[in-house]
Amino acid sequence: MLDENGLPIKRDPKLVALAVVLWIATSVVSFLEILTVRAIVLRVYAHFAVTYGFFAREYMAADALSMGTLIIMGIVCIGVAIGCGEYHLNHFGQPQSWRLFERTIAIEVAIVLLASFI
């Protein structure tokens, strides 16, 4: 990355280490939250199954929904981890990079809070 004069930008090693640690931490937490999102989806499905009385014959559908959720969330988590890594690599040290960390952590906390209330 170059500054406005065309010279390479000097990066503070402490900030680089902080950014790498935050990126790794948010990536690991997002992969761990796959199971949390799966549990939320199954709880919502189970609520409707019990409410409308089709829980006995819908075990296979719940199993398919569970596997589909795992696959979709896995793809999303890989995409977010790669996308955020590339974004931080290109925009390191800028406020947009730190705002992305902030938003990512806020979404992860919101998922955990949602799971605790459902």
Side-chain angles (χ1 to χ4, degrees), residues 1-117:
M1 229 168 137
L2 303 175
D3 63 4
E4 62 274 353
N5 298 324
L7 299 172
I9 295 176
K10 293 182 181 178
R11 297 182 175 182
D12 184 16
K14 293 178 185 176
L15 288 178
V16 171
L18 177 65
V20 169
V21 167
L22 282 174
W23 176 74
I24 290 172
T26 56
S27 297
V28 168
V29 170
S30 69
F31 280 107
L32 293 175
E33 284 186 345
I34 290 174
L35 298 176
T36 305
V37 171
R38 177 182 165 264
I40 291 172
V41 169
L42 287 178
R43 285 179 192 161
V44 170
Y45 183 80
H47 170 73
F48 286 113
V50 170
T51 303
Y52 297 110
F54 58 88
F55 56 91
R57 63 180 183 264
E58 294 296 328
Y59 174 74
M60 296 297 281
D63 197 32
L65 182 66
S66 172
M67 285 187 267
T69 303
L70 289 175
I71 291 170
I72 290 170
M73 286 301 298
I75 292 170
V76 167
C77 286
I78 290 172
V80 167
I82 292 172
C84 287
E86 288 293 322
Y87 186 83
H88 293 304
L89 183 66
N90 293 330
H91 299 285
F92 177 77
Q94 298 175 1
Q96 299 92 342
S97 176
W98 299 112
R99 277 192 216 115
L100 183 62
F101 277 130
E102 180 181 299
R103 290 180 185 138
T104 306
I105 293 170
I107 290 170
E108 290 175 351
V109 169
I111 289 171
V112 170
L113 287 175
L114 179 66
S116 66
F117 289 114

